Amino acid sequence: MNRRTSEMGGRTRESRMRGSRGFTLIEVVVVVAIAMVMMAAAVPVVQASMRYFQLRSGISAVTGAIQSTRYQAIFQGCPYQLAFTAATRSYQVSSTTPLAGGVGCTAAYVAVGGAVPIFGNALTLGADTTMQFHPGGSVTPAGGIAMTVGNGAQVATISVSNYGNVNVTMP
């Protein structure tokens, strides 16, 4: 036997190396086709997940603004107002200020900062909504407030009781 011949079947090392150099065109095409089918199946799942998380983010922003404004009214001892605007997908916080001497608050609401955007382009707010928070923790208008946040496919209802309890209902 010549030195290039192996003990396995008499094939030379060169002929074995030549047969294992790479993939055939058919193997590559099959792998690419499988990858494309898997990606095509994954795209709708990813899009639905993104819509769901955008909705949850919008709900979190709304409920956070409600709770934060209520806590400010309690902490500062003066009424606060929270106004959601559907057209601009934003909210504005306004407050009254304590009178000199610390007894009572002014009657007029003054904006605290500018309008804060809270929704992505895919989300909508059902209607303009205004809430007033009092130092004792109550919320007006009486009977509580219900508002909707949606993303086209899903709509969540956010309700606020007379005492500031926030409840989110999603289908």
Side-chain angles (χ1 to χ4, degrees), residues 39-115:
M39 285 181 9
V43 167
V45 172
V46 169
Q47 288 176 336
S49 296
M50 291 300 293
R51 283 192 302 270
Y52 173 77
F53 288 120
Q54 284 177 335
L55 179 61
R56 295 297 300 169
S57 175
I59 291 168
S60 179
V62 168
T63 58
I66 292 168
Q67 292 170 345
S68 175
T69 306
R70 180 173 178 264
Y71 295 146
Q72 284 297 317
I74 294 168
F75 181 75
Q76 299 294 335
C78 289
Y80 271 66
Q81 179 173 291
L82 180 62
F84 291 96
T85 307
T88 59
R89 297 181 185 112
S90 63
Y91 68 88
Q92 174 72 51
V93 177
S94 303
S95 72
T96 59
T97 55
L99 293 171
V103 179
C105 301
T106 60
Y109 284 97
V110 177
V112 176

Side-chain angles (χ1 to χ4, degrees), residues 94-138:
S94 303
S95 72
T96 59
T97 55
L99 293 171
V103 179
C105 301
T106 60
Y109 284 97
V110 177
V112 176
V116 179
I118 54 172
F119 302 108
N121 290 333
L123 296 176
T124 59
L125 181 62
D128 292 349
T129 306
T130 301
M131 302 174 206
Q132 294 175 340
F133 300 90
H134 304 283
S138 64

